[in-house]
Amino acid sequence: MSKQELPVADATAEACCSPLTTEPLGAERATELARVFKAMGDPVRLRLLSMIASHQGGEACVCELTGVFDLSGPTISHHLKVLREAGLISGERRGTWVYYRVQPDRIHQVSALLDLDAVS
Amino acid sequence: MSKQELPVADATAEACCSPLTTEPLGAERATELARVFKAMGDPVRLRLLSMIASHQGGEACVCELTGVFDLSGPTISHHLKVLREAGLISGERRGTWVYYRVQPDRIHQVSALLDLDAVS
């Protein structure tokens, strides 16, 4: 069985980020983070992300993700690619199928940004 | 001095939401949340949001937000409108200027969605 890691954005490049309340975001950091939010700014992608995140074992086969939507396989693949390129999920090919997992580092990164309780 | 609340999306309609890891998002909820993420999916809007959130007193005058960017007033106003319509900020006109505040309920809502530690 072939085992192949698909290319993933480097989600761990920066460990984390300060909450929004700490200081204004710089242009570069804002561009990087906006890309992640933009990837989540689509209902289908958000549902795919939640399906993967909530799947038993934290991993979902692409074969389990396509049937839920009234969308073509290539359209679903495109959405998964956007999530992958934003570093929100990683995909690993095992045999016929690709299996997806959430990338917790990236989720924590954006979650930390939105932590308004971190600074009074 | 006139004091006028600008229209804001109802950020408190739903108190909160389950983390992504709990269960797949429904179509309706995903559409609502995707709109919020999409509003944050732009570098200028994300910087505006952080400028407002980190401003002393938690409130920023539109007059303090426009000078930072090499963008026209109407463009900045458009971005602020998108943030407002997504329920992320509220604006209040006092005299000549509009003053913006972050809407913590909305931020908590999306932050809760991304709380991967909430469920093991």
Side-chain angles (χ1 to χ4, degrees):
Chain A
M1 188 191 288
S2 71
K3 189 171 170 177
Q4 180 198 341
E5 279 283 346
L6 300 180
V8 181
D10 186 1
T12 56
E14 288 191 65
C16 201
C17 49
S18 307
L20 279 174
T21 42
T22 310
E23 57 183 349
L25 278 171
E28 201 173 320
R29 191 96 184 103
T31 300
E32 183 198 342
L33 287 164
R35 187 160 160 254
V36 183
F37 285 120
K38 196 174 179 184
M40 290 193 284
D42 176 277
V44 172
R45 287 201 290 272
L46 212 43
R47 288 178 69 192
L48 284 168
L49 188 63
S50 75
M51 286 167 72
I52 295 165
S54 64
H55 202 275
Q56 204 171 16
E59 185 180 76
C61 170
V62 68
C63 57
E64 296 167 298
L65 300 173
T66 45
V68 177
F69 302 95
D70 191 17
L71 295 168
S72 71
T75 300
I76 297 291
S77 292
H78 165 75
H79 284 307
L80 289 167
K81 188 182 170 200
V82 175
L83 290 172
R84 216 171 62 224
E85 288 181 346
L88 286 163
I89 59 171
S90 60
E92 186 188 304
R93 181 175 292 280
R94 292 204 296 272
T96 309
W97 303 111
V98 177
Y99 293 80
Y100 290 99
R101 294 191 156 269
V102 162
Q103 294 280 87
D105 288 341
R106 183 62 106 191
I107 305 274
H108 283 140
Q109 205 177 27
V110 287
S111 169
L113 185 77
L114 301 174
D115 186 0
L116 299 187
D117 301 324
V119 176
S120 63
Chain B
M1 187 192 291
S2 71
K3 187 170 170 177
Q4 180 197 343
E5 277 284 346
L6 300 179
V8 182
D10 186 1
T12 56
E14 287 191 66
C16 200
C17 49
S18 307
L20 279 174
T21 42
T22 310
E23 56 184 348
L25 278 171
E28 199 172 320
R29 190 97 184 101
T31 300
E32 183 198 342
L33 287 164
R35 186 161 160 255
V36 183
F37 285 120
K38 196 174 178 184
M40 290 194 283
D42 176 277
V44 172
R45 287 201 290 272
L46 211 45
R47 289 178 70 191
L48 284 168
L49 188 64
S50 74
M51 285 167 73
I52 295 164
S54 65
H55 202 276
Q56 204 171 16
E59 185 179 77
C61 171
V62 67
C63 57
E64 297 167 297
L65 300 173
T66 44
V68 177
F69 302 94
D70 192 17
L71 295 168
S72 71
T75 301
I76 296 291
S77 292
H78 166 74
H79 284 307
L80 289 167
K81 188 182 171 198
V82 174
L83 290 172
R84 215 172 62 222
E85 288 180 347
L88 286 162
I89 59 171
S90 60
E92 185 189 304
R93 180 175 292 281
R94 293 205 295 273
T96 309
W97 302 111
V98 178
Y99 293 79
Y100 290 99
R101 297 192 153 269
V102 162
Q103 293 281 88
D105 288 342
R106 183 62 106 192
I107 305 275
H108 283 140
Q109 205 178 28
V110 287
S111 168
L113 184 79
L114 301 174
D115 186 0
L116 299 187
D117 302 323
V119 176
S120 64

